[in-house]
Amino acid sequence: MIDKIILTPMRHLHLFRVCLVLMTGILFSQSQVLGQIRFEADPSSTFSVAGTSTLHDWTCTSKEVKGFVVLPKSWVDGKPGKEEQVTEANISVAARSLFSGRGSIMDDKMYNALKDYDFPTITFHLVSGKITPSEAGKAKLDVTGDLSLAGKTQRISLTLEGSRIDGSTFNFKGSKALKMSDFEVEPPTAMFGQIVTDDLVTVNFNLKMIRK
């Protein structure tokens, strides 16, 4: 006669953990089969915002970019198809990591305009993307995603120029012109309003992505 197996609460928990580990392994294996490889932002990556004012042009740059992108394995291997989908990517930058190089007064005005105390992080979350080879080792990455800053989110589209350094390193560069008013950001002023920042700015992505 076969003894009955009694599942105590502890055995239930152990069984659940075993199943969870197995499912994680299966999902990881599927991602490799489907050719999805994760790359993360290298510390040398930069994000900048550039604009002009009644006095001079200006640029604020951050060297503290975090995030990832999942690329098709075929492109990682240097054998890309005509066009392939990119389904996962996220980039984030701390607002207070942006520096103008023109002193703390201008930086503080920018932080205030970005409402950094309430919304400390600028993020871009991918909604859809496709990568298309342009020449050997290079490609265009067309993306659409949600850009969030100062508590407001706008859907934007931009094209990044990509280059394959090797199977573990890729560079992506691109820019997008935006209006601060679209994010309800009031352009900073100085000298009692005599110096006024233009509403139109350009955000620049210079990303070095490393395979993880």
Side-chain angles (χ1 to χ4, degrees), residues 45-49 60-65 91-93 97-98 122 147 149 203-207:
S45 300
T46 62
F47 170 86
S48 65
V49 183
C60 296
T61 302
S62 170
K63 296 181 180 180
E64 298 181 21
V65 179
I91 298 296
S92 64
V93 178
S97 68
L98 288 162
I122 300 168
L147 179 65
L149 62 88
V203 294
N204 301 287
F205 297 87
N206 187 353
L207 308 174

Side-chain angles (χ1 to χ4, degrees), residues 39-112:
F39 287 73
E40 295 183 3
D42 184 77
S44 63
S45 300
T46 62
F47 170 86
S48 65
V49 183
T52 188
S53 70
T54 51
L55 180 62
H56 53 64
D57 294 342
W58 55 270
T59 301
C60 296
T61 302
S62 170
K63 296 181 180 180
E64 298 181 21
V65 179
K66 297 180 180 180
F68 71 91
V69 61
V70 176
L71 296 175
K73 187 176 184 299
S74 59
W75 201 55
V76 175
D77 292 340
K79 301 175 182 179
K82 292 183 179 180
E83 179 181 294
E84 297 187 70
Q85 299 301 308
V86 176
T87 58
E88 294 183 67
N90 192 77
I91 298 296
S92 64
V93 178
R96 280 198 168 253
S97 68
L98 288 162
F99 293 99
S100 66
R102 295 182 178 273
S104 60
I105 293 178
M106 179 174 178
D107 290 344
D108 286 341
K109 288 181 177 293
M110 175 184 60
Y111 302 148
N112 289 334

